[in-house]
Amino acid sequence: MASDLDFSPPEVPEPTFLENLLRYGLFLGAIFQLICVLAIIVPIPKSHEAEAAASESRSAETTRKSKATAPSANKRLKKEAKKKR
């Protein structure tokens, strides 16, 4: 009865190149995601120069946005005038 049982390990085929590529790609993707999450959670102190540059770019963006909204307000007025005709 004991000779009827087969305790040899099952035959598992070697992983192909694409399977290995997929496996290591998934590992790299997971590591990248962990780094991104840690970058959000752990704040890195910025230097004074970087903060000054960031505030300058923000002020430039707000002036661009205000200029972009003016023509759209003009278009709305024109459309309303056409609707009234």
Side-chain angles (χ1 to χ4, degrees):
M1 183 168 161
S3 63
D4 293 341
L5 298 175
D6 185 21
F7 290 113
S8 64
E11 294 182 19
V12 179
E14 287 290 321
T16 63
F17 174 73
L18 290 176
E19 290 172 345
N20 280 333
L21 184 68
L22 181 64
R23 173 191 289 168
Y24 292 118
L26 288 172
F27 279 128
L28 288 175
I31 291 169
F32 178 74
Q33 285 183 353
L34 288 174
I35 291 170
C36 290
V37 168
L38 287 175
I40 293 171
I41 293 173
V42 179
I44 298 174
K46 295 181 180 179
S47 67
H48 181 67
E49 295 172 2
E51 291 175 2
S55 64
E56 289 174 6
S57 66
R58 287 182 194 148
S59 63
E61 288 176 6
T62 55
T63 57
R64 289 179 194 159
K65 288 180 182 177
S66 63
K67 290 178 183 177
T69 55
S72 64
N74 246 353
K75 288 181 182 178
R76 287 185 201 143
L77 292 173
K78 288 180 182 178
K79 284 185 181 180
E80 290 176 5
K82 283 185 179 180
K83 286 182 182 177
K84 290 179 183 177
R85 291 183 195 173

